[in-house]
Amino acid sequence: MRDGVVESPLAWDRFIGQAGAPMWHASLLDQASEAASNGGNIAVLVGDFRFGNRILLQDPKPSSMLIDGFVAIAAHAMTLEQGRAMLDRGLAGMRAWHETFGDRALYVLWDAFGRQVHDRLAGRHIVDGPYRHPVFNYDEIVAALPEFHIVDLAPLLSLEMHEVQRLFIDASNDPSQVGYLLLDGLISNGLGALEAYERAVAKAEAELLALARALSQAAGRKVLLTGRSVWLDTFSRYMGAMGAQRLTEAGLILAPLDRVPGQATPAQMAEDIDLSQCAVVVVSAGGGDLSAQLARTFGTGTSPWEKAPVINWEHATETAIRNRGGTPSFTRLDLGLPTWANAISPKLEPSEVDLGSTGMPSWTGIVGLLGRMADLDWPKAEVEPWRIENDVLITRSGVAFLEAGSHRPLKFASGELRPSATSLQTFSGNIEARAEHAQSRGIPYAHVVFPDKQSVLVEEFPFKPVIRLGETYLNHVVEDAARRVIYPADDLRAVDGACMPLDTHLSDTGTLVVLRQMLNAVGVNAPATLTTIERCITKPRRWPGDLGGKLDPPLFQEVLTLDPDWEFTALSSGGGFNDGLIDILFSPDAPLDQTVLLFGDSFFRLMLKPLSGVFKRVVFLRTRFYHREMIELIEPDIVFTGNAERYLSRVDSDHDAIPFMLYRHVRGVTEQFDSEFLEAWRSVTSPRARRSMAYFEKHGGSKVRGARS
């Protein structure tokens, strides 16, 4: 906290503790009481109940429960009987804290939880049934303290233990960076255990995956990271099996020689690794020559390993360990091995080396060394800067663009194809007529052209210059109509992460950029609501995207998505088709008691949740046209039309649109609307009816739409 490695809402001096102190340590309780003397709340991380067990050897029945002078764990006071005595004493110490703080204290049974994780990983205390420790069981400790406010960590025990171990740097139960982020979510943000865990993993992984992509890009190909070192042990623990897979997808194959719980062995991984297509980095304790072992493990000769850069992490940590008064004790050092003459011993900052004698890296040491690897003198690999597969253009850095399809976006972006004069005139005429119709009814109106990815990520796109269809059309639209068109390509370009790497669509961060402009265009001022929406873009999601799923094998992307903290009801007409699809959202807590109507495609559909944070009623109709008959029925307060930029390859006139409600019939859809959706649809298309008004009142909106001429 003090060094800024872990974010915290508290100043570092608001953290009170003493290594190995038991819950009955008198001075620790006194310090906490003084720090919270103004009535503030306190969070208590409960350590190992065996802390201070030396007291059983010196003073088994002390006159006072709260006492100083006993810390850490004495190895010769570890019998089952002594364990039970220490549990009783620890629980009594916790009750003293409860008497002092009452409901102001929040307790995290960190060590009791960690003990179960590591015991289960090692297969201890699991005999013919579930895990059960002879003395220390998390659920029994919680049950013994029913009046305490205890953070519920039990849901994490239902996950795979080799994934949960990412919360700890080792079996000592000291929190890892992921663990600190979890604790911050539990204590500072009041999140549940699973949500806090997912958020912590996503945040830590995002940094590591970004470094992996940078390393792969610097090397010009995938990188195989192998060897034997406490640095590799720690990095592997941080990733877990799922994280290691995502790391591979980002271009970094983590394959230490020593077995990692829950992960494939190097021998198993070797079957799927083409070393000729990989750059190699070896991390070796003491710079030991591991080439013979690597050759056996991966089924190669020694030549691929003899030329690989070798990093001697352990020896690089010696200065920091000795400056702290310690003596290095490297667990992975093999003195029987010859050393690599050219092994690199990086110069480390003390903060990159965790406390202790083994040279374990801190979080800063993990990310710092990964960053240094990208700066190695990599030989230039003959790798194409981009390739095309199944209508997808994907760059070496893993950004995908739609290459082909019916709208032929690549040909328009390169200037090989240009829109016809008729199409340009039709677009302008559509916007003019829509604006005039909306204005005649007193309805604010705007049109959105959602930029294709190459119009935003211009530097990443391999063909220059990029011809933007949106700009081409804006240059041919009459001035009055142009004012109604939103084309946010440059605004999106200025925002990191606005586009998703393996999807044609915008991220929720990019969607928020567009939403701000939409609201400005129709005169809606809602800065507080937009801030709330931005704050809720926190939920990690991993999926291939509409482009990544076209590749073989599929690639996956990690993106933070919107996790609304407001209530809303979303109803859909369903059906496996596009034109004619209907979505309706009701949001009782939205600040604007208005109905917003949208005609458009999937880009608008992905904006419905954020729009529900602004408007009480959101109606989306999937169509490329402006349907006047639906405006007559729905009587919206605001109307938007929109289209993906690639759909400007050819624009059809609104005059050619069939009535919206005939789309299903034309497609031969016979399936009826379900009753819940039908009631919502009936209400939004007859908003003045008493039944509709009652329906709106039930769903949080009470305003009766004003009369339209």
Side-chain angles (χ1 to χ4, degrees), residues 188 197 204 356 424 566 655:
S188 304
Y197 175 80
L424 293 168
W566 59 89
H655 296 302

Side-chain angles (χ1 to χ4, degrees), residues 108-346:
V108 183
L109 298 176
W110 186 255
D111 273 80
F113 165 73
R115 171 188 293 278
Q116 183 162 339
V117 171
H118 289 106
D119 278 353
R120 286 171 59 179
L121 273 171
R124 291 190 291 264
H125 310 301
I126 303 174
V127 181
D128 299 327
Y131 170 85
R132 215 79 211 142
H133 191 276
V135 180
F136 305 102
N137 290 292
Y138 179 85
D139 56 345
E140 292 175 355
I141 296 170
V142 172
L145 304 167
E147 70 277 21
F148 282 57
H149 185 190
I150 297 175
V151 170
D152 184 13
L153 296 174
L156 298 178
L157 294 172
S158 65
L159 304 177
E160 296 288 345
M161 291 300 98
H162 57 259
E163 296 295 333
V164 183
Q165 72 165 335
R166 302 169 77 172
L167 298 171
F168 310 97
I169 59 172
D170 56 20
S172 69
N173 295 332
D174 287 343
S176 65
Q177 175 82 350
V178 178
Y180 282 122
L181 291 170
L182 171 96
L183 290 168
D184 182 55
L186 296 170
I187 296 169
S188 304
N189 304 117
L191 301 180
L194 290 174
E195 184 180 5
Y197 175 80
E198 290 173 358
R199 191 179 78 165
V201 167
K203 189 168 185 179
E205 276 191 4
E207 187 168 355
L208 295 172
L209 293 173
L211 288 166
R213 284 188 282 270
L215 176 53
S216 176
Q217 188 169 8
R221 48 191 156 168
K222 284 183 177 289
V223 175
L224 175 70
L225 180 56
T226 187
R228 177 170 287 125
S229 166
V230 69
W231 187 91
L232 285 170
D233 296 343
T234 309
F235 185 29
S236 298
R237 180 184 289 265
Y238 262 109
M239 297 311 301
M242 294 175 65
Q245 178 59 40
R246 287 191 276 268
L247 202 68
T248 298
E249 292 161 3
L252 179 59
I253 303 167
L254 181 59
L257 287 172
D258 297 298
R259 181 66 191 272
V260 179
Q263 299 183 31
T265 64
Q268 292 168 328
M269 296 175 67
E271 299 176 5
D272 300 318
I273 297 173
D274 183 356
L275 279 175
S276 67
Q277 299 299 312
C278 294
V280 176
V281 179
V282 178
V283 185
S284 176
D289 186 346
L290 300 172
S291 57
Q293 293 165 271
L294 289 165
R296 285 196 303 272
T297 299
F298 289 93
T300 68
T302 58
S303 58
W305 314 104
E306 291 169 347
K307 299 177 182 179
V310 177
I311 297 174
N312 181 356
W313 169 266
E314 268 77 354
H315 282 175
T317 67
E318 284 194 70
T319 300
I321 296 170
R322 295 189 188 281
N323 286 346
R324 293 168 182 161
T327 301
S329 178
F330 299 136
T331 58
R332 295 301 186 192
L333 188 64
D334 185 348
L335 297 177
L337 289 174
T339 58
W340 256 303
N342 298 323
I344 303 165
S345 186

Side-chain angles (χ1 to χ4, degrees), residues 369-556:
L369 188 58
L370 282 173
R372 289 181 179 91
M373 289 179 189
D375 295 331
L376 292 172
D377 186 17
W378 296 101
K380 296 298 181 183
E382 295 298 325
V383 179
E384 291 292 333
W386 54 273
R387 73 181 194 276
I388 291 177
E389 177 184 332
N390 198 21
D391 294 343
V392 175
L393 185 154
I394 185 160
T395 68
R396 185 168 57 198
S397 58
V399 178
F401 299 87
L402 183 63
E403 181 268 336
S406 59
H407 300 286
R408 295 168 291 179
L410 181 59
K411 291 184 180 295
F412 279 96
S414 65
E416 183 178 342
L417 290 178
R418 296 181 181 275
S420 68
T422 300
S423 187
L424 293 168
Q425 292 167 4
T426 300
F427 178 80
S428 182
N430 281 346
I431 301 300
E432 288 181 86
R434 295 172 185 180
E436 183 179 345
H437 178 261
Q439 186 172 359
S440 71
R441 299 183 59 82
I443 304 174
Y445 163 75
H447 180 85
V448 183
V449 175
F450 290 92
D452 286 342
K453 192 186 293 186
Q454 67 270 11
S455 296
V456 179
L457 303 182
V458 176
E459 292 80 6
E460 185 72 28
F461 195 61
F463 301 102
K464 306 289 191 303
V466 175
I467 307 299
R468 294 170 164 180
L469 266 179
E471 289 180 344
T472 301
Y473 274 83
L474 280 173
N475 291 335
H476 288 80
V477 174
V478 299
E479 185 176 350
D480 286 344
R483 286 197 293 267
R484 303 282 188 156
V485 179
I486 300 167
Y487 179 62
D490 288 332
D491 298 272
L492 291 166
R493 188 177 177 185
V495 175
D496 288 340
C499 294
M500 292 188 282
L502 299 174
D503 210 293
T504 57
H505 298 95
L506 302 174
S507 68
D508 284 340
T509 298
T511 291
L512 184 60
V513 173
V514 180
L515 179 58
R516 290 182 192 276
Q517 295 200 19
M518 289 170 60
L519 297 182
N520 287 337
V522 294
V524 172
N525 185 30
T529 303
L530 293 171
T531 298
T532 297
I533 295 170
E534 183 174 19
R535 191 179 65 243
C536 291
I537 302 175
T538 58
K539 187 175 183 179
R541 185 185 174 199
R542 178 177 182 268
W543 81 109
D546 60 4
L547 297 178
K550 290 175 173 285
L551 304 174
D552 184 19
L555 296 180
F556 289 79

Side-chain angles (χ1 to χ4, degrees), residues 558-707:
E558 303 272 350
V559 181
L560 291 179
T561 61
L562 179 67
D563 186 16
D565 65 356
W566 59 89
E567 292 185 10
F568 66 92
T569 300
L571 302 160
S572 177
S573 62
F577 53 87
N578 287 329
D579 286 347
L581 184 72
I582 306 167
D583 288 286
I584 305 170
L585 281 75
F586 298 102
S587 182
D589 298 327
L592 297 184
D593 190 6
Q594 293 181 329
T595 299
V596 59
L597 174 62
L598 304 106
F599 300 106
D601 51 42
S602 57
F603 280 82
F604 266 159
R605 198 172 190 220
L606 291 174
M607 292 189 71
L608 300 183
K609 284 184 183 179
L611 281 162
S612 75
V614 182
F615 301 100
K616 287 188 182 294
R617 293 167 298 280
V618 181
V619 182
F620 167 71
L621 307 181
R622 177 69 187 251
T623 173
R624 78 193 84 165
F625 300 111
Y626 178 91
H627 292 268
R628 299 188 180 204
E629 79 278 9
M630 301 313 299
I631 293 175
E632 297 293 331
L633 288 171
I634 296 171
E635 299 187 36
D637 296 284
I638 297 172
V639 172
F640 292 106
T641 56
N643 62 268
E645 185 175 11
R646 62 183 176 275
Y647 292 169
L648 295 176
S649 60
R650 192 188 106 181
V651 178
D652 295 318
S653 172
D654 287 340
H655 296 302
D656 297 328
I658 64 172
F660 181 82
M661 292 310 297
L662 284 182
Y663 274 127
R664 293 170 66 90
H665 175 74
V666 169
R667 290 178 174 274
V669 178
T670 58
E671 181 183 357
Q672 299 297 310
F673 295 141
D674 66 52
S675 58
E676 187 177 10
F677 174 82
L678 186 61
E679 185 65 24
W681 184 231
R682 171 178 176 164
S683 298
V684 298
T685 54
S686 57
R688 299 172 187 274
R690 291 193 185 93
R691 180 168 174 173
S692 301
M693 293 181 195
Y695 185 90
F696 293 143
E697 183 73 27
K698 177 182 176 182
H699 286 81
S702 58
K703 178 187 172 186
V704 178
R705 243 74 59 233

